[in-house]
């Protein structure tokens, strides 16, 4: 009888050890899974938090922050969580200033005629105006609004060619954005590459000039 009781007791001990082992392993696997998910979220949060909302200097160029009033037509405040490309545009409004184009976006909240905006507008004097924080989308690039930063460029005439001051500021801004978001120059695209719209006009009609722009950005980053 004692021998039988001893065997039963041994089996019960083994069973308890097995249950304890399974329970401990399950807890450890659960904690490991939570740790991995938490780590991924922290990594994404760290990337999201490092995106500056506003800038002050690009190279040696001051960025004038004239953020649009939050509204559904030009600044919907939809989060921009990832940047895969930078889109270059032209204003299609020869001779106008960066501030005038920025004010056009601002007035859409009143006029309600269309939805349009851009993160930056570069003027004829090379001035850089920021309209939208970099952690929000702009209404500029159709279905690529969700993963792009957009730059509108002023131009002096109907050809759409940027003057030297505008061009130099564009190269500096593109270089900064490529460095900040770890993008390649092939990630610099035209509005034309998104939707087929002839924008920026001069750089759609002159592919060599577009390729030179990207080469100039590469050279600027190296310097």
């Amino acid at each position: 009888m004692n021998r039988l009781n001893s065997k039963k007791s041994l089996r019960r001990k083994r069973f308890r050890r097995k249950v304890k082992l399974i329970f401990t392993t399950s807890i450890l696997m659960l904690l490991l899974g939570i740790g991995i998910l938490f780590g991924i979220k922290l990594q994404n949060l760290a990337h999201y938090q490092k995106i500056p909302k506003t800038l002050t200097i690009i190279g040696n160029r001051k960025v004038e922050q004239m953020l649009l009033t939050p509204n559904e037509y030009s600044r919907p405040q939809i989060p921009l969580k990832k940047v895969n490309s930078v889109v270059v545009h032209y204003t299609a409004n020869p001779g106008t200033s960066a501030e005038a184009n920025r004010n056009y976006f601002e007035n859409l909240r009143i006029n309600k005629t269309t939805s349009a905006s851009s993160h930056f507008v570069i003027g004829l004097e090379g001035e850089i105006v920021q309209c939208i924080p970099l952690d929000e989308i702009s209404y500029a690039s159709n279905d690529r609004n969700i993963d792009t930063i957009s730059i509108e460029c002023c131009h002096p005439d109907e050809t759409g060619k940027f003057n030297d001051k505008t061009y130099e500021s564009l190269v500096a801004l593109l270089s900064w954005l490529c460095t900040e978001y770890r993008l390649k120059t092939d990630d610099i695209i035209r509005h034309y590459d998104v939707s087929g719209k002839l924008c920026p006009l001069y750089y759609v009609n002159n592919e060599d000039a577009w390729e030179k722009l990207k080469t100039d950005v590469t050279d600027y980053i190296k310097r």
Side-chain angles (χ1 to χ4, degrees), residues 73-189:
Y73 292 92
S74 56
R75 187 186 168 191
Q77 295 188 291
I78 298 172
L80 175 61
K81 295 182 179 181
K82 188 174 183 180
V83 177
N84 290 321
S85 300
V86 181
V87 187
V88 178
H89 306 254
Y90 87 132
T91 63
N93 197 3
T96 56
S97 67
E99 185 172 350
N101 283 280
R102 177 266 174 201
N103 290 342
Y104 167 75
F105 297 145
E106 175 70 16
N107 289 332
L108 288 176
R109 67 189 177 88
I110 300 171
N111 301 331
K112 301 179 181 180
T113 53
T114 189
S115 295
S117 57
S118 183
H119 290 91
F120 299 97
V121 184
I122 301 178
L124 297 173
E125 296 299 318
E127 70 275 24
I128 303 173
V129 174
Q130 184 177 8
C131 305
I132 303 283
L134 294 179
D135 59 354
E136 298 177 19
I137 73 163
S138 66
Y139 282 149
S141 303
N142 305 89
D143 60 351
R144 292 298 306 276
N145 290 331
I146 60 171
D147 71 336
T148 59
I149 289 173
S150 282
I151 305 170
E152 287 276 358
C153 296
C154 297
H155 49 97
D157 57 42
E158 296 286 348
T159 68
K161 184 178 181 180
F162 307 151
N163 67 24
D164 289 344
K165 291 180 179 179
T166 303
Y167 185 88
E168 289 167 4
S169 289
L170 175 61
V171 169
L173 180 55
L174 288 171
S175 299
W176 185 88
L177 290 169
C178 283
T179 301
E180 181 69 14
Y181 293 98
R182 299 180 181 178
L183 303 176
K184 300 176 181 178
T185 53
D186 284 342
D187 297 319
I188 301 171
I189 60 176

Side-chain angles (χ1 to χ4, degrees), residues 8 17 38 132 150 193 198:
K8 288 182 178 180
R17 282 199 299 268
F38 186 66
I132 303 283
S150 282
D193 299 315
L198 300 180

Side-chain angles (χ1 to χ4, degrees), residues 19-84:
V19 170
K20 185 177 180 180
L21 179 61
I22 293 172
F23 178 77
T24 303
T25 302
S26 299
I27 292 296
L28 288 174
M29 291 180 67
L30 178 62
L31 291 174
L32 179 61
I34 292 173
I36 292 172
L37 288 175
F38 186 66
I40 292 173
K41 287 185 177 181
L42 279 179
Q43 185 179 20
N44 291 338
L45 180 61
H47 173 73
Y48 184 75
Q49 289 178 334
K50 82 167 189 154
I51 299 175
K53 291 187 176 182
T54 55
L55 311 174
T56 54
I57 299 291
I58 294 295
N60 60 352
R61 293 163 174 79
K62 183 179 179 180
V63 177
E64 188 174 1
Q65 297 164 0
M66 301 177 65
L67 300 182
L68 303 178
T69 303
N71 72 92
E72 62 180 307
Y73 292 92
S74 56
R75 187 186 168 191
Q77 295 188 291
I78 298 172
L80 175 61
K81 295 182 179 181
K82 188 174 183 180
V83 177
N84 290 321

